[in-house]
């Protein structure tokens, strides 16, 4: 690698926001750590990040192979939980609505997102050519569809 590429790489590495880097649990307020560990005592290792402007902390962990992403305030208030769930545990209206636009498609992954009293489901649907992320309400109302991947044409 020539010197110019090394300098560009070093500048880019320094420009990455520190909020993208993991932080040690000892740097997270005790109330935030206690709230997450109290709500999910089987969490095991928790990866911590400062979220946004440092007003929230993000805890990422797994339980029984399912991923959890929890946002918590420094005071210990849990404000958002995104948990991976088994596709088989999706409410039927959510499953049916997600697959309706894609006959022959299948749901690859499912997440339940809870923010206060608001519950949403995020599913990844795969059909013959494309992958989509779909956000739905518990009654199956589609809020948005995002194309993730399109297979190249032959």
């Amino acid at each position: 690698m020539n010197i110019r590429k090394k300098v560009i790489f070093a500048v880019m590495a320094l420009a990455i926001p520190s909020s993208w880097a993991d932080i040690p649990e000892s740097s997270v307020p005790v109330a935030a750590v206690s709230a997450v560990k109290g709500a999910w005592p089987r969490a095991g290792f928790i990866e911590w990040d400062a979220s946004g402007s440092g007003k929230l902390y993000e805890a990422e962990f797994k339980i029984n192979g399912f991923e959890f992403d929890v946002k918590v305030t420094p005071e210990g208030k849990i404000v958002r939980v995104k948990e991976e769930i088994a596709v088989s545990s999706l409410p039927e209206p959510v499953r049916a609505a997600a697959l309706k636009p894609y006959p022959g498609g299948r749901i690859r992954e499912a997440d339940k997102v809870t923010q206060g009293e608001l519950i949403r489901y995020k599913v990844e649907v795969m059909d013959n050519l494309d992958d989509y992320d779909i956000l739905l309400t518990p009654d199956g109302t589609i809020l948005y569809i995002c194309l993730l991947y399109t297979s190249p044409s032959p």
Side-chain angles (χ1 to χ4, degrees):
M1 187 183 311
N2 69 31
I3 190 72
R4 181 176 174 188
K5 287 182 180 176
K6 288 180 182 177
V7 169
I8 291 172
F9 178 77
V11 168
M12 289 176 60
L14 291 172
I16 295 174
S18 62
S19 65
W20 290 359
D22 293 347
I23 58 174
E25 187 173 289
S26 60
S27 297
V28 179
V30 173
V33 172
S34 296
V36 172
K37 287 186 173 183
W40 293 276
R42 299 180 306 140
F45 175 75
I46 299 174
E47 185 179 297
W48 291 95
D49 297 306
S51 181
S53 61
K55 294 181 181 176
L56 291 176
Y57 290 90
E58 184 174 359
E60 297 173 345
F61 53 90
K62 288 185 177 186
I63 297 176
N64 296 329
F66 291 105
E67 296 178 11
F68 287 74
D69 184 339
V70 178
K71 295 203 191 257
V72 59
T73 67
E75 299 78 29
K77 180 179 181 194
I78 295 171
V79 294
R80 181 178 167 270
V81 177
K82 179 181 169 188
E83 60 182 292
E84 183 181 3
I85 61 172
V87 172
S88 61
S89 68
L90 279 171
E92 180 55 29
V94 171
R95 190 194 67 71
L99 292 174
K100 185 175 181 181
Y102 310 104
R106 70 178 181 89
I107 298 174
R108 289 175 36 143
E109 294 180 10
D111 295 317
K112 180 179 179 182
V113 182
T114 306
Q115 190 165 344
E117 299 296 317
L118 187 65
I119 296 173
R120 298 288 186 248
Y121 291 91
K122 182 177 157 264
V123 299
E124 184 177 331
V125 173
M126 180 179 172
D127 71 4
N128 293 332
L129 300 174
D130 306 316
D131 290 358
Y132 302 90
D133 261 352
I134 305 173
L135 186 69
L136 305 102
T137 62
D139 68 0
T141 302
I142 295 176
L143 300 174
Y144 81 76
I145 299 174
C146 176
L147 177 64
L148 295 176
Y149 175 79
T150 300
S151 297
S153 298

